[in-house]
Amino acid sequence: MKTIALALAATTLASAPASAGVYINAEANDGYAGTEYQGRTVDVHVGYEGSVSKFDYYIQGGPAFVAVVDVDGSETELSGKLGGTFNVSQNLGVYGEVSTITNGDEDRNYGTKLGAKFSF
């Protein structure tokens, strides 16, 4: 169950705002298997974002507080995200993200995102 909750949390896409600089991003991610609640991960990240020509990017990381259903308390892990958007035109952007979170003594979990956004 913990793996499901962590995998869902690790693959959540973070939006990169338009301005450059340092930011703080707090995010709560709940996990479900069907309609059954599995747990919650709360990320508290410090990040940096910027732009180079048509490319907007961000990198962020920090603690992740993991609470799994039917388990007392929570565990503190480390998580992070690296992503960006290539602005093909004013209306079309192609984006991607790689995320990771530790998992105690088990293998680290990874997630990826790749997509395109067309605005009208």
Side-chain angles (χ1 to χ4, degrees):
M1 286 190 283
K2 178 180 175 184
T3 302
I4 293 170
L6 291 174
L8 287 171
T11 59
T12 302
L13 179 65
S15 299
S19 61
V22 177
Y23 63 90
I24 294 175
N25 181 43
E27 180 177 280
N29 298 285
D30 291 326
Y32 295 86
T35 58
E36 186 177 328
Y37 178 71
Q38 301 294 302
R40 172 176 293 142
T41 299
V42 176
D43 297 326
V44 181
H45 289 172
V46 174
Y48 181 82
E49 62 190 1
S51 296
V52 177
S53 188
K54 291 186 171 191
F55 184 68
D56 301 325
Y57 62 89
Y58 60 95
I59 184 169
Q60 65 183 53
F65 306 101
V66 180
V68 178
V69 71
D70 298 329
V71 175
D72 289 335
S74 64
E75 295 181 15
T76 301
E77 302 291 348
L78 295 175
S79 64
K81 299 176 183 179
L82 170 67
T85 300
F86 180 75
N87 300 298
V88 177
S89 69
Q90 186 176 0
N91 298 71
L92 177 62
V94 177
Y95 63 88
E97 179 183 272
V98 176
S99 59
T100 186
I101 186 169
T102 58
N103 191 11
D105 293 334
E106 298 178 28
D107 289 339
R108 180 182 309 262
N109 290 316
Y110 296 92
T112 61
K113 294 267 186 179
L114 181 61
K117 180 179 179 180
F118 185 80
S119 300
F120 296 93

